[in-house]
DNA sequence: ATCGATATTGAATCTAGGA
DNA sequence: CTCCTAGATTCAATATCGA
């Protein structure tokens, strides 16, 4: 797995990065996340994913129209006396996150409208720089049983870097691949965690009231970490972050106060198997790939000289020449230059503009580049 | 257009509601919104819709890359020295909104991740009670050209009441109808404002950098106001709020500092035609229908005393008595009470629980209520 | 086994009015 | 204040059950 895209040029950090060997990798730290994080060295963590209490402030009981009772989140850990108390708690754990994150580290926090506005403002106050807010659109949310509001069908994730000028990691290419060759948007449609994925306790009841779906963590980790990175989750719960991190070949650390959650998480992560190298490699960022001359692809016989290439709408056709240039009428030159000139565009990515036909299928010539890259590996 | 559902029980407000005649209805107040709102009486406005500046640049202190983007929002009104200045500005205009809103009034604010977390936290601090956060999912957002982040494909709207215990208006039934008989969710998919709807200035360039689509305001006003309500927009811009309000038969007031925007908005709203009464009629919640005593239905002979009623699965049968009570074995009482007791349920809507047979068909006794309502109309 | 019907459940700030 | 009662209100995905 290659390096991810490092976005934003900045001077190399002068902060001393703590080596991984000083970290309790693959461990669930038993205790309050603030005191546990305080034991960790500065600038040692690549990514924090945090799912803090939402401070729901629920009223009385709620029944469905069929009379059944809604099992609400009434756990002690979600009770705060006031917004001020919640803010103080939030400021405290976010401050520790800021300290232990590397200068190019990333922070994700998930929440609902009950807490996310406070969390977001405090993140900004502490100097975190918001990169995106992501909306998790639930495909199967709980309805509003009383018909009093809009169905609360989403939760919000905030993604931030250490500061306005800080570098951060974003695996643009992997996200685009995951999204069927369209840029990944800030709204993600994913189902809630249910069925076999939902962990049960010994009593057959759900082990944790707010277990997050693995698909959500999968996308977060794939987008903003690389293999071997260290991911910390201060509110580990049943360990979704740890399970997905292990699967994706990332190191992880969790903090969790409740012994029952730690027990479930430990068993769960033990069962998890890391994906093998080849599965992870396909998610590499195009920008960090070695540059490939079109000529090398031609040379390798993947798009032999004489092959006809064309744009997606077949407005233009061009011929591949032996030296890796294209010829289209009077225009000739690199794949990028010819594409740009024909369109009258300021620039053109020839790899995605030009296409070829193989076995009745039309593919961008970038597909041939990928094949070339595979063939030269090892 | 009938009355909307009033949600949440609260004592009748002791606040004196200012009459509409004291308000500058259908006017764009020329000036800063805080000073203009200060001239308005307390408790006089039904709904505020606000689209405040987004704080895209954080002023000269935080030296930004040299702002050479052609179409970026770089107007003077969108510059603030710091988060603190933005917060102070936000607190100021929201405080005036709180004062001029009626006790059962509603507040909507739209923003992006640059400002909405600060706005949301301040709203909560001022005592506004968040009812929903709504995600406007843009069907055609601007791509992220540099491939450095997720495509920023949504904006966020916050909907709040005056306080935790305050009443508010929500036209649940109209929203459900608009959404093909499914509850309206908190994520709305709507296109951005473009094409003919996008207003152009004399130079042929877009008149305003962040003109909102009318479909967005249409849904907001239909959901949370009724005909004749007064809607105020403190950042009127090119008057989308006024145009849609006029079309939907709501009164409106705008505040706008820039003469150029006022000019465009005035011309735009002048062209707008109100929909006629029948088009404005929306589906009504059952809650807004007149209450009918079951006894009245019995009295009217629609379900005469002695009629046998039963639940859908015919697990229980009961007899209608002359006073409008039911008898089932030892249990007797109102249609609701008997249904509730027999099922051991926390509550029961007798109108839909009990059924009767007529001409070989089985109908809920609610059908008899509807017949009764028809018979007493006019 | 299979198919259709029925039951369960999910981060929920979830009523209104009168005595 | 509290208490009481009328009565309005749900979507999608699993899991279980019964023929």
């Amino acid at each position: 797995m290659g390096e991810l895209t490092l976005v934003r040029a900045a001077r190399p950090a002068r902060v001393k990065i703590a080596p991984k060997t000083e970290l309790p990798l693959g461990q669930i730290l038993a205790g309050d996340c603030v005191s546990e994080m305080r034991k960790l060295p500065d600038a040692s963590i690549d990514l924090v994913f945090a799912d803090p209490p939402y401070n729901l402030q629920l009223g009385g009981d709620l029944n469905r129209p069929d009379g059944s009772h809604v099992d609400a989140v009434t756990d002690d850990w979600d009770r705060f006396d006031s917004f001020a108390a919640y803010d103080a708690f939030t400021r405290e754990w976010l401050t520790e996150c800021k300290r232990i994150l590397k200068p190019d580290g990333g922070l994700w926090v998930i929440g609902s409208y009950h807490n996310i506005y406070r969390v977001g403002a405090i993140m900004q106050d502490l100097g975190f720089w918001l990169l995106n807010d992501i909306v998790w659109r639930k495909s199967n949310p709980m309805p509003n049983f009383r018909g009093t509001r809009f169905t609360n069908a989403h939760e919000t994730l905030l993604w931030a870097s250490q500061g306005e000028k800080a570098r951060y990691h974003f695996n643009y290419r992997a996200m685009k691949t995951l999204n069927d060759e369209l840029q990944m948007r800030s709204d993600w449609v994913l189902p809630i965690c249910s069925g076999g994925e939902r962990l049960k306790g010994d009593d057959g009841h759900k082990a944790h009231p707010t277990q997050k779906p693995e698909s959500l963590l999968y996308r977060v980790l794939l987008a903003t970490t690389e293999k071997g990175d260290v991911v910390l989750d201060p509110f580990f719960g049943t360990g979704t972050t740890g399970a997905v991190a292990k699967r994706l070949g990332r190191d992880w650390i969790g903090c969790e106060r409740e012994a029952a959650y730690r027990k479930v998480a430990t068993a769960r992560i033990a069962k998890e198997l890391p994906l093998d190298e080849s599965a992870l490699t396909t998610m590499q960022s195009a920008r960090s790939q070695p540059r490939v001359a079109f000529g090398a692809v031609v040379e390798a016989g993947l798009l032999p000289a004489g092959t006809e290439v064309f744009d997606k709408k077949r407005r233009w056709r061009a011929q591949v020449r032996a030296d890796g240039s294209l010829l289209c009428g009077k225009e000739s030159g690199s794949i990028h230059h010819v594409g740009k000139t024909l369109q009258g565009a300021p620039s053109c990515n020839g790899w995605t503009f030009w296409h070829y036909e193989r076995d009745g299928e039309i593919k961008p010539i970038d597909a041939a580049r990928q094949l070339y890259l595979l063939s030269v590996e090892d």
Side-chain angles (χ1 to χ4, degrees), chain A residues 45-49 101-102 104-108 159-161 168:
Chain A
I45 302 293
D46 293 292
L47 192 88
V48 169
F49 180 91
L101 276 169
K102 294 181 184 172
D104 61 351
L107 169 69
W108 286 84
W159 173 41
S161 66
Y168 60 91

Side-chain angles (χ1 to χ4, degrees), chain A residues 10 36 40 56 156 167 207 213 222 243-244 259 290 294 305 313 328 351 378:
Chain A
E36 293 307 316
L40 300 179
L56 286 189
T156 301
R167 291 185 179 207
L222 205 58
V244 178
F294 180 62
K313 294 182 184 161
C328 174
W351 292 108
D378 309 319

